[in-house]
Amino acid sequence: MSEPQNEGQSEPQDEPRDESPDESDEVQDATPPEEQTPEEQGVEQVAFDINDFPGGARSAIEAVLMVIDEPVEETVLASALELPMEDVISILETLASEYADSDRGFMLRRLGGRWRIYSKPAYAPVVEKFLMGGQQARLTQASLETLAVVAYRQPISRARVSAVRGVNVDGVVRTLVSRGLIEEVIVDGEPGQASLYGTTDLFLQRMGLDSLDDLPPLAPYLPPADVIEELASEGHA
């Protein structure tokens, strides 16, 4: 027979449950700002019909090309202007052909897989004088030789470039890096490995190349990789 409960003794109450949402769930469900659509970020979209502009899609693409700081891919233009990819490519190729055949001081080129308006090479002296104020803008012979070795044997260390040229190239490499023509590249290897250098997109633009595959066949005149390694190990840097 069970004992009667004391009248003053209350029954155990359930502890109040925390109704607040789980913090981990909030973090998991949250979308990073960079992955959010403009609508999710609260950015108002500019609505327009490309055909309402004078000149239509052609003039709209020209307007964008005039203000970009870096070469742009066809996919970016097609997305921004809400145009089919094939239409964008056709317009770009037509513009490039028309600019090349005209007496304008600029041209439209596709370099490194991207499009941009450039001044024509014939006007280089005028552009140099305007930008440099009469200062020497061209690379020195030492810089050109070093740049060639990096371009054809990248990724390559300074020691190996020095081995090919037979002189110390530390100062020249710093100059080329400062001008944005070469940069350090990430290559999997042992910790403490020497910095390796390769060319940049700016190099392709300055050389008028779409990719490194378009480089002239100069590589056979440079020592092969195993010979460069042997020269560097022998201290010919």
Side-chain angles (χ1 to χ4, degrees):
M1 181 173 181
S2 60
E3 296 182 0
Q5 295 182 350
N6 295 334
E7 295 181 358
Q9 181 178 359
S10 60
E11 295 182 359
Q13 300 292 325
D14 293 337
E15 294 184 0
R17 297 178 60 185
D18 187 1
E19 300 294 337
S20 60
D22 186 9
E23 183 178 1
S24 61
D25 293 338
E26 291 183 358
V27 175
Q28 183 176 1
D29 295 338
T31 303
E34 62 271 14
E35 297 181 7
Q36 294 178 352
T37 63
E39 291 81 0
E40 292 173 335
Q41 296 178 4
V43 178
E44 183 178 355
Q45 287 287 296
V46 179
F48 58 78
D49 184 343
I50 201 73
N51 295 315
D52 290 340
F53 295 104
R58 171 192 170 101
S59 297
I61 289 177
E62 283 184 311
V64 173
L65 291 172
M66 289 295 181
V67 299
I68 56 175
D69 294 325
E70 298 291 337
V72 64
E73 297 178 355
E74 300 104 335
T75 54
V76 176
L77 287 172
S79 175
L81 301 180
E82 300 178 1
L83 290 169
M85 176 72 71
E86 55 271 19
D87 290 356
V88 171
I89 295 176
S90 176
I91 293 173
L92 289 169
E93 291 177 346
T94 300
L95 289 174
S97 178
E98 291 181 3
Y99 294 164
D101 295 337
S102 70
D103 292 329
R104 292 184 174 95
F106 59 87
M107 60 184 177
L108 176 61
R109 295 196 63 182
R110 185 180 188 273
L111 301 175
R114 300 166 185 159
W115 293 85
R116 187 177 184 178
I117 289 178
Y118 299 89
S119 60
K120 289 184 176 178
Y123 298 92
V126 177
V127 175
E128 280 186 13
K129 185 173 182 180
F130 174 77
L131 293 177
M132 304 300 295
Q135 300 178 26
Q136 179 59 260
R138 291 185 176 86
L139 293 174
T140 63
Q141 184 65 29
S143 296
L144 290 173
E145 293 175 1
T146 300
L147 185 57
V149 175
V150 174
Y152 284 96
R153 287 290 182 257
Q154 59 185 304
I156 188 170
S157 66
R158 282 182 294 183
R160 287 168 174 75
V161 176
S162 296
V164 173
R165 295 200 55 233
V167 295
N168 185 286
V169 297
D170 289 359
V172 178
V173 167
R174 284 194 294 268
T175 297
L176 294 174
V177 170
S178 68
R179 293 201 177 192
L181 297 174
I182 66 173
E183 63 184 354
E184 288 191 30
V185 296
I186 305 299
V187 177
D188 293 336
E190 296 295 330
Q193 180 177 345
S195 298
L196 301 178
Y197 293 88
T199 53
T200 63
D201 288 342
L202 180 61
F203 166 79
L204 294 176
Q205 297 171 34
R206 291 289 185 264
M207 296 297 294
L209 304 174
D210 190 39
S211 71
L212 292 174
D213 295 335
D214 298 329
L215 282 169
L218 178 64
Y221 297 97
L222 292 173
D226 56 343
V227 174
I228 295 176
E229 178 72 27
E230 182 179 350
L231 290 172
S233 64
E234 291 177 357
H236 286 197

